[in-house]
Amino acid sequence: MPTLYLTDLDGTLLTGSQRVSERTCEILNRLTADGLRFSFATARSRFSSRRAVDGLEPRLPMIVYNGTFIQDITSGQVLHGNYLDHEKASDIIDWYIRRGIFPIVYSLVDGREHFSYVPERSCRALLDFVATREGDPRLRATDIDGLYDGDIFYITAMGDDQVLTEGSELFSADSTLNCLLYPETYTGDLWLEIMPAAASKAVAALKLKGLLGCDRLVCFGDGVNDIPMFQAADECYAVANAAPELKAMATDIIGSNEEDAVALWLEQNAEY
């Protein structure tokens, strides 16, 4: 009975340095070489994920942008994707700008994947985030009009917590949207992420499970954005540093992200 094992990255597989440890790399490379069906489900892009898991040799497609895409980690081919209605995306951007927040907008522009932002109008938290993506070929500094370009699939905003909370309540009431409001793993800054309703880690996890011909799904996570994936899984394991809401619904609680807990659990318990 083939099982697909999926893990979140930040706060789960990655250490506080936003990297995988040498021990985790050794264990997972050995297990996947032996046939373990293992991949990632993350809010990150394929590009930043590849940098974060440098040293691992992933063999399966991965889930990125909180379930918006399933992508081949090497080629970048989108095996399953979701996009926002352009008029709806424009209305969301307009709503933010009227309140003094200039979001990061993820889109395909002329067939190339970008995230666009307006440097001179961005808040400090957003600029700090952009600085961590230095060298990312998707990075696109633009003017306000450029935020509306291309096929938009994901909108992330940081700024005034009250405005973000108001936006979460407003956009969550729209059945065509999936909204996630949660603190960033490393800084605690509040993020509001908006994507198509069909995009979620849960939907993508079940889709990938089917694509790979697996019968069972086992997941690992730490944040509230992992709740839908946990609900879809046959078994789900929260790391010791996970949010209380996730721990409450987990099959079990394992060690922390600083203790190679995911890799060690897989080494001891995974079934091929």
Side-chain angles (χ1 to χ4, degrees):
M1 185 166 59
T3 299
L4 172 62
Y5 295 93
L6 277 179
T7 183
D8 174 58
L9 289 180
D10 294 282
T12 305
L13 191 70
L14 305 185
T15 67
S17 65
Q18 302 188 45
R19 292 291 185 270
V20 285
S21 73
E22 290 185 8
R23 179 163 68 160
T24 283
C25 284
E26 185 279 320
I27 292 171
L28 293 181
N29 286 339
R30 172 165 41 83
L31 296 181
T32 54
D34 287 342
L36 181 72
R37 294 169 174 85
F38 171 80
S39 191
F40 318 117
T42 177
R44 287 177 177 258
S45 69
R46 179 183 70 95
F47 181 85
S48 65
S49 296
R50 287 186 67 184
R51 291 201 301 185
V53 300
D54 184 43
L56 284 180
E57 300 168 1
R59 299 165 185 266
L60 299 180
M62 66 182 303
I63 295 166
V64 294
Y65 296 120
N66 273 319
T68 303
F69 287 170
I70 299 175
Q71 278 185 291
D72 184 283
I73 192 169
T74 303
S75 70
Q77 178 187 3
V78 177
L79 305 177
H80 178 71
N82 300 277
Y83 298 87
L84 290 163
D85 172 80
H86 194 78
E87 183 176 352
K88 182 66 63 70
S90 297
D91 288 344
I92 294 168
I93 297 168
D94 289 344
W95 186 90
Y96 278 125
I97 290 175
R98 288 196 299 269
R99 288 156 180 79
I101 290 181
F102 292 78
I104 296 176
V105 179
Y106 294 78
S107 59
L108 294 182
V109 181
D110 297 327
R112 294 184 59 191
E113 188 178 333
H114 289 285
F115 67 87
S116 302
Y117 72 108
V118 184
E120 65 273 13
R121 306 298 295 273
S122 298
C123 68
R124 172 48 53 190
L126 189 150
L127 292 174
D128 288 344
F129 169 78
V130 168
T132 68
R133 299 301 189 261
E134 183 179 356
D136 190 327
R138 300 170 305 136
L139 192 60
R140 180 175 180 257
T142 186
D143 57 16
I144 293 173
D145 289 342
L147 294 178
Y148 300 84
D149 290 343
D151 297 318
I152 298 170
F153 57 86
Y154 198 81
I155 300 173
T156 297
M158 288 166 273
D160 184 275
D161 287 3
Q162 184 174 342
V163 174
L164 296 180
T165 302
E166 179 187 351
S168 177
E169 293 172 354
L170 174 66
F171 297 123
S172 292
D174 187 329
S175 62
T176 70
L177 301 175
N178 180 17
C179 302
L180 296 171
L181 179 70
Y182 61 96
E184 201 269 343
T185 300
Y186 303 103
T187 67
D189 293 316
L190 198 63
W191 290 18
L192 176 56
E193 302 185 341
I194 301 175
M195 63 209 82
S200 75
K201 284 188 178 183
V203 172
L206 294 175
K207 179 73 173 179
L208 183 58
K209 173 186 167 186
L211 288 173
L212 297 174
C214 294
D215 298 316
R216 299 180 68 251
L217 175 65
V218 176
C219 297
F220 304 87
D222 75 300
V224 294
N225 63 323
D226 294 317
I227 288 175
M229 183 170 68
F230 270 38
Q231 291 171 332
D234 295 288
E235 294 178 21
C236 47
Y237 295 89
V239 288
N241 51 289
E245 302 96 316
L246 204 68
K247 288 181 176 179
M249 63 185 300
T251 303
D252 201 358
I253 299 168
I254 59 177
S256 79
N257 65 317
E258 301 290 347
E259 299 171 320
D260 302 295
V262 172
L264 291 172
W265 188 96
L266 288 168
E267 185 177 45
Q268 296 164 11
N269 300 285
E271 300 177 355
Y272 295 76

